[in-house]
Amino acid sequence: MVSQAEENYLKAIFKISEKEVKAASTNAIAAEMQTTAASVTDMLKRLAEKNLIDYEKYRGVQLTAEGNRVATVLIRKHRLWEVFLVDHLGFAWDEVHDLAEQLEHVQGNALIERLDRFLGHPKFDPHGDPIPDAEGRWTLRPQALLATLKPGDRGVVTGVEDHSPAFLQYLDQMGLSLGAEIELLERFPYDQSVRVRTQAGREVSLSEKVGQNLYVKIS
Amino acid sequence: MVSQAEENYLKAIFKISEKEVKAASTNAIAAEMQTTAASVTDMLKRLAEKNLIDYEKYRGVQLTAEGNRVATVLIRKHRLWEVFLVDHLGFAWDEVHDLAEQLEHVQGNALIERLDRFLGHPKFDPHGDPIPDAEGRWTLRPQALLATLKPGDRGVVTGVEDHSPAFLQYLDQMGLSLGAEIELLERFPYDQSVRVRTQAGREVSLSEKVGQNLYVKIS
DNA sequence: TAATTTTTTTAGATTAATCTAAATTTTATA
DNA sequence: TATAAAATTTAGATTAATCTAAAAAAATTA
Ligand SMILES: [Mn+2]
Ligand SMILES: [Mn+2]
Ligand SMILES: [Mn+2]
Ligand SMILES: [Mn+2]
């Protein structure tokens, strides 16, 4: 048995390992989990004991194959529930994360596979993040940060780096929800801000911060 | 905040109080929760401290208005999730209870109200049990135990007293799922068993035990 | 390389939820 | 009503998960 707390730690380690090649550090895990380094050390011992991570004192941790499997299933559940909440219950994409954090811990293989079928085996969640399939395989999508586009480039909004409700709501206001077609009109070297034409022919100005947090598939 | 364990105790007390007029006893709660009397006493102190129950040592307990509200919301959530699992994910009625036991603890008012709307504000769950509305009001249904029917009586299966998968599967086999129309043909005084004509014109013999656990609305 | 800073671990508590065994109170019975 | 039986509570532990403060190790910098 893997407790909810243990599952959450495994997911945190997975997310850190996605970005960093090296082993996940105690402090990085503490930051991700919003807890103290001491609590993390306690938990790492327990996870190592259960062979869910490889842990050497002072050296950071890596998921074992089994730890990776548990984390992947958890992310699959989280993202499938987010699809349900948005597509079927009518929640906005900025409202579903905390609910999915709870729903992802509901146990039951049949549940998640039936939910997946009900939803039509979606490949991406409401934030554009890929949903691993029942065998843990990921769909990769060629996408680029808005910050890397050049004037004249056109594309479709496919995802976000920042998942905060504030950013998601801002995107809605700007007409930059998932699937929106955009064209980069101009980039200002002074502050790396850009002018963008959105779907409705509307022109908006976006800061570098937005450029670093918005993914686009160039067409 | 009310923990999951506390919620489960409140629901257990609610269910005992439904059947017995007097205060729920420590032992009755222990039996319902499948735990020890000592654990129950510990928990009763905590629930009393939070004003969720009225508790006098050695005298049993009763829910306060607030405790009753929490228990009612929990039952509402449990039964709405059961409807979702059966009507939309295709689970059988004998497969959903344990999943609903987990889903009922997911927090979020918006979630349950949106789920209720998605499901079309159902009044009864897959076992025929009433679902309280958002204000905690219950729909009562005039139904009688099969054991009380007389030869010649016709009716429709509306609910079960025993919720065990074994009983529910047996009913499916006999053609006695929820909504099935039946006619009581004959009752044998010797063992109180009955002969019943089911929907497809099929005749089946049912024991007294079945008669004591199957509800019918007489037409 | 020695001193300083940062990171990580350990020590020692706390809280919720549970248990077994023993003590106490209530209820039933002779 | 005394005694026995049943129900309930208390005492004392345990486990998971968390915390703060202190100690120890590793990394950085002078
Ligand atoms: Mn999320
Ligand atoms: Mn997401
Ligand atoms: Mn149920
Ligand atoms: Mn039910």
Side-chain angles (χ1 to χ4, degrees):
Chain A
M1 289 297 86
V2 183
S3 73
Q4 292 197 190
E6 288 166 344
E7 286 186 331
N8 285 334
Y9 273 93
L10 293 173
K11 191 171 67 166
I13 295 165
F14 182 97
K15 290 196 166 178
I16 293 163
S17 302
E18 266 184 325
K19 304 204 171 166
E20 301 270 347
V21 184
K22 58 190 179 192
S25 73
T26 301
N27 263 0
I29 298 167
E32 178 72 27
M33 294 291 297
Q34 310 212 77
T35 185
T36 63
S39 298
V40 173
T41 301
D42 278 351
M43 182 58 89
L44 294 184
K45 289 176 187 168
R46 238 170 296 138
L47 293 173
E49 188 59 43
K50 293 190 175 185
N51 289 308
L52 294 164
I53 59 172
D54 290 322
Y55 172 47
E56 265 189 287
K57 264 194 188 182
Y58 295 103
R59 296 273 100 126
V61 298
Q62 282 193 306
L63 295 177
T64 62
E66 176 61 9
N68 196 285
R69 196 193 60 77
V70 174
T72 301
V73 170
L74 197 68
I75 290 168
R76 171 168 164 78
K77 290 156 82 180
H78 181 106
R79 293 180 181 171
L80 285 172
W81 279 117
E82 284 189 342
V83 171
F84 171 69
L85 295 171
V86 168
D87 287 6
H88 294 274
L89 296 196
F91 281 99
W93 66 338
D94 61 293
E95 299 175 314
V96 295
H97 180 74
D98 290 347
L99 288 170
E101 284 293 309
Q102 298 180 68
L103 288 162
E104 70 187 7
H105 297 292
V106 174
Q107 300 291 324
N109 258 339
L111 173 62
I112 202 65
E113 296 320 320
R114 279 178 185 270
L115 180 63
D116 185 42
R117 189 186 320 160
F118 171 75
L119 298 173
H121 307 292
K123 296 267 182 296
F124 300 95
D125 84 359
H127 312 103
D129 295 311
I131 301 174
D133 69 17
E135 279 72 44
R137 289 182 295 248
W138 299 80
T139 302
L140 292 186
R141 172 143 66 167
Q143 57 184 12
L145 282 179
L146 175 63
T148 67
L149 295 217
K150 289 179 288 291
D153 283 348
R154 290 156 174 267
V156 175
V157 174
T158 53
V160 291
E161 179 65 29
D162 176 5
H163 287 65
S164 70
F167 182 53
L168 302 178
Q169 286 164 23
Y170 171 80
L171 291 179
D172 282 338
Q173 280 174 33
M174 294 294 121
L176 294 169
S177 304
L178 230 65
E181 294 176 20
I182 63 164
E183 176 182 356
L184 192 143
L185 301 172
E186 193 174 5
R187 175 178 304 280
F188 300 100
Y190 170 63
D191 62 357
Q192 293 298 318
S193 71
V194 293
R195 210 152 48 81
V196 159
R197 180 170 12 244
T198 66
Q199 207 146 11
R202 182 170 151 220
E203 286 186 21
V204 296
S205 174
L206 302 172
S207 70
E208 183 188 12
K209 188 172 180 188
V210 172
Q212 292 293 343
N213 284 295
L214 191 63
Y215 286 109
V216 174
K217 182 182 173 193
I218 301 173
S219 49
Chain B
M1 288 298 84
V2 183
S3 72
Q4 291 196 191
E6 288 167 343
E7 285 186 331
N8 285 333
Y9 273 93
L10 292 174
K11 192 171 67 166
I13 296 165
F14 183 97
K15 291 196 165 177
I16 293 163
S17 302
E18 267 185 326
K19 305 205 171 164
E20 302 270 346
V21 185
K22 58 188 178 192
S25 73
T26 299
N27 264 358
I29 298 167
E32 177 74 28
M33 294 291 298
Q34 309 212 77
T35 186
T36 63
S39 297
V40 173
T41 301
D42 278 351
M43 181 57 90
L44 295 183
K45 290 176 186 168
R46 237 170 297 140
L47 293 172
E49 187 60 41
K50 293 190 175 186
N51 289 307
L52 294 164
I53 59 171
D54 289 324
Y55 172 48
E56 267 189 287
K57 264 193 189 180
Y58 295 102
R59 295 275 99 125
V61 299
Q62 280 193 307
L63 295 177
T64 61
E66 176 61 9
N68 196 285
R69 195 192 62 75
V70 173
T72 301
V73 169
L74 197 67
I75 290 168
R76 171 168 164 77
K77 290 156 82 180
H78 182 106
R79 294 180 181 171
L80 284 173
W81 278 116
E82 284 189 342
V83 172
F84 171 69
L85 294 171
V86 168
D87 288 4
H88 294 275
L89 296 196
F91 280 99
W93 66 338
D94 61 292
E95 300 175 315
V96 295
H97 179 75
D98 291 346
L99 288 171
E101 285 292 311
Q102 299 180 67
L103 287 162
E104 70 188 5
H105 297 292
V106 174
Q107 300 294 321
N109 258 339
L111 173 61
I112 202 63
E113 296 321 318
R114 279 179 185 269
L115 179 64
D116 184 42
R117 189 186 321 159
F118 172 75
L119 299 172
H121 307 290
K123 296 268 182 296
F124 300 95
D125 83 0
H127 311 106
D129 294 310
I131 301 174
D133 70 15
E135 279 71 46
R137 289 181 296 247
W138 299 81
T139 302
L140 292 186
R141 172 145 66 167
Q143 57 184 11
L145 281 178
L146 175 63
T148 67
L149 298 217
K150 288 178 290 291
D153 283 347
R154 291 155 174 266
V156 174
V157 174
T158 54
V160 292
E161 179 64 28
D162 176 5
H163 287 65
S164 70
F167 183 53
L168 301 178
Q169 287 165 23
Y170 172 80
L171 291 179
D172 281 339
Q173 280 173 34
M174 293 296 120
L176 293 170
S177 305
L178 230 66
E181 292 176 21
I182 63 164
E183 175 181 354
L184 193 144
L185 300 172
E186 192 174 6
R187 173 178 304 280
F188 301 100
Y190 169 63
D191 61 358
Q192 292 301 316
S193 70
V194 293
R195 209 153 49 81
V196 161
R197 185 175 4 248
T198 67
Q199 207 146 10
R202 182 171 152 219
E203 286 187 21
V204 296
S205 175
L206 302 172
S207 69
E208 184 187 12
K209 187 171 180 189
V210 173
Q212 293 293 343
N213 283 295
L214 191 63
Y215 287 109
V216 174
K217 183 181 172 194
I218 302 174
S219 49

